[in-house]
């Protein structure tokens, strides 16, 4: 039944990114598959459930779907008008509820559609196949019944999510182990991760973060610690089956998969990131990728406009990973370059200055005006966004806050600096003070306990609920005070600051912009994996390569003989210059950027997949792009969800609730748009 990858073999030489592969499969293996092309109906209806709509909207635009012969997109669970002369394509999850709805559409004397082409997003259980076969009136009306094995949302050219927004509550909450969603969440997440490898036709070496809990640890804590292990086992189980169920699926390993959870880095979800993309989603209250703003009308009144900040916008694509200061400078340069080099802009400026325009000049303006208006509108949009962000940075005093955050992380600041900052910045927002204390708690967990924590809470004027949020970090593997010195709260704070730092600063990369020191821990893990330096004891294999066993044992033994006793810093200096793309003179990102990236990919090594349980951050997604250029291997980041600091904090607050999973459902889900 499965057709995953069946039509990609002919295009094997044409290297495509993760999202391009997903898009092509949806268009060519489903909407325009050979079986669908046999249909007598020129136009078709596309029917999807709530989740497959998200899958489609992340990979394809509405224009792509229309070009593929789809005249109408319908919701499986909404009442629909019969269209007996048209064929329908069903892209649905293989659930009993969906099968029942499909059969009700196509059974009996008067089906809704002439013929149905059914594509399941993941493997369908045998009992549900039998359920379909038992309806004799439906069988002749089925034109295709296939497993697409594509059940994830491609949120980026190098990123995907399984859309498990409630993972923290379902798996890490106070009573999560006994919650009904615990097993189903792990199982569904594993299925969706596996379909990503079915789409890419990749068989991975599966590695995971090993449990750190001792054998006598509390059962609930131990259970949380084992989540990466459990997920890795389920993922490998599903992927292994593809070797026999999917035609031409690799029989030998072709890539690496590393499964980790948020315990490896609890700072990344709450720190103030200074890239354009991260600041947009952190500060501007965006609805998913939708940005809302006001523009003046000719009458003088204001009208509200909405725009999607996505890959089809070349300016967004170019600037999203740039430091906000760099993005602002480049936008200014683009605007100046546009006004100087665009002919329509030059002629309009001549008219404004009182110069006379010939008929030929007016004709040139008229011809260039549509393109001029489009380019000017895009540039003006991003200038306005960058302006809003810079205003908020000033109003919220984020520069001073950001410097202290990074100084604490690197071991350059401790309790003394924190207390002085809180005393002199009483008007700092509650959320920003909470984020600062969460970072401090991750670096100095012993100084948040007992009286010390109470004094800090009183100084910051945080509520008991806010401090509970800080203590909830323990559910994610944070606040480990076993190795702490247990020093009481005192004014002698800075003597041990640098000893708390967990990693040295790397001097091989210069700091190009202020506050660009931070980088996520995921970056170092991927670099170690690429070099073969990831310790097997800490990150074991599900399917260890036989030829690597001896080498891994040797590496482990060598590491034990020469431990690194030097003080470490949690982050290292980074430069954002890798994010700068080629730009054409008109101020837009050149198409050659994408063509160059595609040609570069052809010379890359095996892919590296990293899956983050509990939500990935935009800094981690950015790192995937940076590392791809650095190590010459395409790095793909997967996660249960994509987290921005305000939403992550809301979810963290709920972990100590007895009904964390149910309460979390009150958090509004992101909207999706074609």
């Amino acid at each position: 039944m499965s057709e995953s990858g069946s039509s990609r073999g002919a295009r094997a030489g044409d290297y495509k990114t993760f999202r391009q592969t997903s898009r092509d499969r949806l268009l060519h293996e489903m909407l325009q598959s050979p079986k669908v092309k046999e249909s007598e109906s020129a136009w078709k209806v596309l029917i999807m459930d709530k989740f497959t709509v998200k899958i489609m909207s992340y990979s394809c635009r509405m224009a792509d779907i229309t070009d593929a012969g789809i005249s109408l997109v319908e919701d499986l669970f909404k009442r629909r008008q019969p269209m007996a002369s048209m064929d329908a394509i069903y892209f649905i999850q293989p659930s009993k509820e969906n099968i029942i709805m499909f059969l009700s559409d196509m059974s009996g004397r008067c089906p809704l559609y002439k013929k149905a082409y059914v594509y399941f997003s993941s493997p369908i259980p045998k009992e549900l196949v039998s359920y379909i076969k038992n309806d004799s009136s439906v069988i002749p009306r089925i034109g295709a019944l296939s497993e697409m094995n594509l059940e994830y949302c491609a949120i980026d050219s190098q990123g995907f999510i399984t859309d498990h927004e409630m993972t923290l509550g379902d798996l890490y909450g106070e009573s999560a182990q006994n919650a009904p969603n615990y097993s189903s969440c792990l199982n569904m997440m594993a299925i969706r991760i596996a379909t990503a490898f079915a789409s890419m036709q990749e068989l991975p070496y599966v590695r995971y973060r090993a449990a750190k809990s001792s054998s006598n640890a509390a059962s609930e804590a131990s259970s949380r610690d084992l989540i990466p292990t459990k997920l890795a086992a389920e993922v490998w189980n599903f992927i292994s089956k593809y070797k026999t169920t999917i035609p031409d699926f690799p029989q030998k390993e072709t890539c690496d998969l590393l499964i980790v959870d948020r315990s490896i880095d609890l700072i990344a979800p709450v720190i103030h990131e200074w890239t354009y993309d991260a600041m947009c989603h952190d500060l501007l209250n965006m609805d998913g990728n939708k940005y809302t703003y006001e523009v003046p009308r000719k009458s003088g009144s204001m009208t509200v406009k909405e725009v999607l900040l996505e890959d089809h916008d070349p300016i967004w694509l170019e600037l999203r990973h740039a430091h906000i200061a760099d993005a602002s400078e480049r936008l200014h340069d683009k605007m100046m370059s546009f006004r100087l080099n665009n002919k329509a802009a030059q002629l309009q400026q001549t008219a404004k200055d009182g110069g006379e325009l010939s008929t030929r000049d007016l004709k040139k303006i008229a011809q260039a005006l549509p393109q001029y208006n489009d380019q000017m509108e895009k540039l003006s949009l991003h200038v306005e966004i960058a302006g809003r962000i810079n205003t908020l940075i000033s109003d919220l005093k984020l520069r001073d806050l950001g410097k202290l955050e990074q100084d604490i992380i690197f071991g350059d600041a401790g309790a003394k600096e924190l207390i002085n900052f809180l005393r002199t910045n009483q008007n700092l927002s509650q959320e920003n003070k909470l984020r600062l204390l969460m970072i401090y708690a991750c670096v100095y967990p012993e100084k948040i306990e007992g009286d010390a924590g109470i004094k800090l809470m009183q100084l910051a004027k945080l509520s008991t609920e806010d401090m509970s949020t800080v203590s909830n970090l323990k559910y994610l593997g944070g606040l480990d005070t076993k190795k702490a010195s247990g020093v009481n709260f005192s004014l002698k704070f800075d003597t041990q600051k640098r000893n708390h730092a967990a990693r040295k600063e790397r001097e091989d990369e210069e700091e190009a912009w202020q506050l660009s020191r931070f980088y996520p821990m995921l970056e170092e893990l991927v670099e170690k994996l690429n070099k073969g330096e990831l310790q097997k004891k800490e990150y074991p294999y599900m399917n260890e390569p036989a030829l690597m066993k001896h080498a891994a044992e040797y590496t482990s033994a060598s590491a034990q003989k020469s431990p690194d006793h030097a003080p470490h810093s949690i982050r290292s200096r980074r430069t954002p210059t890798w994010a700068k793309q080629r730009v054409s003179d008109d101020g837009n990102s050149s198409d050659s950027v994408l063509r160059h990236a595609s040609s570069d990919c052809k010379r890359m090594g095996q892919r590296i997949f990293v899956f983050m349980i509990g939500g990935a951050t935009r800094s981690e997604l950015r790192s995937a792009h940076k590392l791809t250029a650095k190590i010459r291997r395409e790095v793909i980041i997967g996660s249960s969800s994509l987290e921005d600091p305000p939403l992550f904090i809301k979810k963290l607050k709920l972990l100590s609730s007895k009904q964390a999973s149910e309460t979390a459902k009150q958090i509004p889900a992101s909207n999706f748009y074609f």
Side-chain angles (χ1 to χ4, degrees), residues 460-490:
K461 297 180 181 179
L462 294 179
S463 66
T464 304
E465 182 185 17
D466 287 332
M467 287 309 293
S468 294
T469 304
V470 177
S471 66
N472 281 355
L473 289 168
K474 65 178 180 286
Y475 294 118
L476 303 181
L479 306 186
D480 183 6
T481 59
K482 292 179 182 177
K483 297 181 181 180
S485 60
V487 182
N488 291 327
F489 193 85
S490 69

Side-chain angles (χ1 to χ4, degrees), residues 148-421:
M148 279 294 292
N149 288 312
L150 200 162
E151 196 169 284
Y152 55 84
C153 299
I155 59 172
D156 184 86
S157 60
Q158 292 175 224
F160 71 95
I161 58 171
T162 59
D163 197 43
H164 288 91
E165 291 287 341
M166 311 308 166
T167 296
L168 291 183
D170 287 342
L171 301 182
Y172 294 92
E174 187 173 352
S175 304
Q177 189 178 3
N178 300 320
N181 294 338
Y182 183 88
S183 296
S184 61
C185 178
L186 274 176
N187 181 261
M188 186 56 67
M189 199 183 299
I191 289 173
R192 292 178 180 176
I193 294 169
T195 66
F197 292 90
S199 277
M200 301 301 290
Q201 281 202 306
E202 297 269 22
L203 179 63
Y205 288 113
V206 180
R207 302 184 70 173
Y208 57 94
R209 180 192 63 74
K212 294 174 287 187
S213 301
S214 59
S215 57
N216 60 352
S219 59
E220 285 192 8
S222 178
S223 176
R224 295 186 192 98
D225 205 17
L226 285 167
I227 286 172
T229 307
K230 293 178 180 178
L231 182 62
E234 292 205 37
V235 168
W236 176 241
N237 178 49
F238 288 121
I239 293 178
S240 298
K241 294 176 182 177
Y242 289 150
K243 295 199 305 191
T244 56
T245 59
I246 295 179
D248 301 322
F249 193 77
Q251 300 300 301
K252 294 182 179 180
E253 286 78 1
T254 59
C255 65
D256 291 297
L257 166 62
L258 178 63
I259 296 177
V260 296
D261 62 3
R262 277 266 53 106
S263 67
I264 68 162
D265 191 349
L266 290 171
I267 292 175
V270 295
I271 191 172
H272 284 88
E273 258 278 300
W274 291 80
T275 57
Y276 188 45
D277 179 14
M279 300 211 87
C280 282
H281 288 87
D282 189 0
L283 302 179
L284 299 183
N285 297 317
M286 291 174 58
D287 179 7
N289 290 330
K290 184 175 72 172
Y291 175 69
T292 304
Y293 64 110
E294 291 185 336
V295 293
R297 291 175 173 170
K298 291 182 180 179
S299 61
S301 61
M302 303 296 288
T303 182
V304 175
K305 291 195 70 174
E306 297 177 349
V307 65
L308 295 180
L309 300 181
E310 293 181 335
D311 290 3
H312 62 265
D313 179 348
I315 300 178
W316 171 257
L317 192 63
E318 178 192 343
L319 298 179
R320 59 180 177 165
H321 295 148
H323 189 284
I324 183 61
D326 184 24
S328 299
E329 284 188 10
R330 287 154 73 177
L331 281 169
H332 177 267
D333 293 344
K334 282 176 180 292
M335 187 64 81
M336 295 299 293
S337 175
F338 180 77
R339 287 173 174 165
L340 288 172
N341 298 327
N342 186 277
K343 291 182 179 179
Q346 291 173 357
L347 291 171
Q348 284 196 338
Q349 188 62 45
T350 300
K352 287 181 180 179
D353 294 340
E356 292 187 4
L357 295 177
S358 66
T359 305
R360 186 178 180 182
D361 289 337
L362 291 172
K363 185 178 179 180
K364 285 182 178 179
I365 291 177
Q367 290 173 340
L369 203 55
Q371 183 183 11
Y372 167 81
N373 287 338
D374 181 58
Q375 292 175 356
M376 192 65 182
E377 185 177 356
K378 286 179 179 177
L379 271 173
S380 299
L381 166 67
H382 289 283
V383 168
E384 195 260 324
I385 292 174
R388 280 189 63 186
I389 290 173
N390 283 312
T391 299
L392 287 168
I393 289 172
S394 177
D395 293 346
L396 298 175
K397 300 180 179 179
L398 293 186
R399 287 189 182 87
D400 293 338
L401 175 62
K403 183 178 184 304
L404 179 58
E405 287 177 345
Q406 299 200 23
D407 284 348
I408 290 173
I409 291 166
F410 280 94
D412 295 332
K416 180 180 178 180
E417 290 81 3
L418 174 67
I419 290 172
N420 288 339
F421 182 83

Side-chain angles (χ1 to χ4, degrees), residues 428-453:
L428 201 67
S429 71
Q430 294 297 101
E431 180 188 298
N432 284 337
K433 285 188 283 189
L434 175 58
R435 288 165 67 170
L436 179 60
L437 284 184
M438 289 172 71
I439 292 170
Y440 181 73
C442 289
V443 181
Y444 300 94
E446 76 281 1
K447 294 184 179 180
I448 290 293
E449 291 190 329
D451 291 342

Side-chain angles (χ1 to χ4, degrees), residues 326 512-513 575-581:
D326 184 24
W513 296 96
T575 175
T577 53
W578 61 272
K580 295 183 179 180
Q581 302 184 8

Side-chain angles (χ1 to χ4, degrees), residues 452-666:
I454 293 173
K455 289 180 179 180
L456 281 176
M457 178 183 73
Q458 292 172 343
L459 179 61
K461 297 180 181 179
L462 294 179
S463 66
T464 304
E465 182 185 17
D466 287 332
M467 287 309 293
S468 294
T469 304
V470 177
S471 66
N472 281 355
L473 289 168
K474 65 178 180 286
Y475 294 118
L476 303 181
L479 306 186
D480 183 6
T481 59
K482 292 179 182 177
K483 297 181 181 180
S485 60
V487 182
N488 291 327
F489 193 85
S490 69
L491 295 179
K492 298 179 180 180
F493 299 114
D494 53 353
T495 56
Q496 301 290 329
K497 281 188 298 192
R498 293 191 178 276
N499 290 335
H500 275 268
R503 206 175 293 171
K504 292 179 181 178
E505 292 200 63
R506 302 179 197 172
E507 301 298 337
D508 58 333
E509 295 183 20
E510 296 181 1
E511 185 180 334
W513 296 96
Q514 186 182 17
L515 303 175
S516 64
R517 299 167 71 184
F518 172 80
Y519 80 102
M521 299 290 280
L522 204 64
E523 223 175 275
E524 185 169 285
L525 287 180
V526 172
E527 289 178 339
K528 285 185 176 180
L529 187 152
N530 177 61
K531 295 176 182 177
E533 297 175 356
L534 207 57
Q535 292 296 310
K536 189 174 71 172
K537 184 178 180 181
E538 297 174 2
Y539 296 92
Y541 288 86
M542 274 290 155
N543 53 327
E544 182 180 358
L547 294 176
M548 291 177 61
K549 285 184 179 179
H550 178 71
E553 290 168 2
Y554 176 79
T555 303
S556 178
S558 300
Q560 291 174 11
K561 290 179 182 178
S562 57
D564 185 2
H565 295 291
H568 293 293
S569 181
I570 290 180
R571 313 291 174 198
S572 73
R573 297 185 185 273
R574 296 284 171 176
T575 175
T577 53
W578 61 272
K580 295 183 179 180
Q581 302 184 8
R582 301 168 184 81
V583 184
S584 56
D585 292 335
D586 63 1
N588 285 317
S589 176
S590 172
D591 289 339
S592 65
V593 174
L594 301 179
R595 289 197 296 269
H596 186 271
S598 179
S599 63
D600 282 351
C601 284
K602 295 177 183 178
R603 299 188 293 272
M604 287 189 180
Q606 294 182 340
R607 290 184 173 100
I608 296 176
F609 291 79
V610 183
F611 189 85
M612 174 66 75
I613 308 169
T617 67
R618 296 183 189 277
S619 61
E620 288 161 346
L621 195 57
R622 168 174 55 86
S623 292
H625 292 268
K626 174 179 180 177
L627 287 166
T628 296
K630 182 177 181 179
I631 67 176
R632 310 302 302 155
R633 297 175 67 180
E634 185 182 9
V635 179
I636 297 170
I637 302 294
S639 184
S640 47
S641 57
L642 185 62
E643 299 294 340
D644 295 308
L647 183 58
F648 180 80
I649 290 171
K650 286 181 182 178
K651 293 178 180 179
L652 191 63
K653 282 183 179 180
L654 299 172
L655 291 188
S656 55
S657 168
K658 294 292 183 182
Q659 297 82 29
S661 179
E662 290 300 315
T663 312
K665 293 178 182 177
Q666 299 171 10

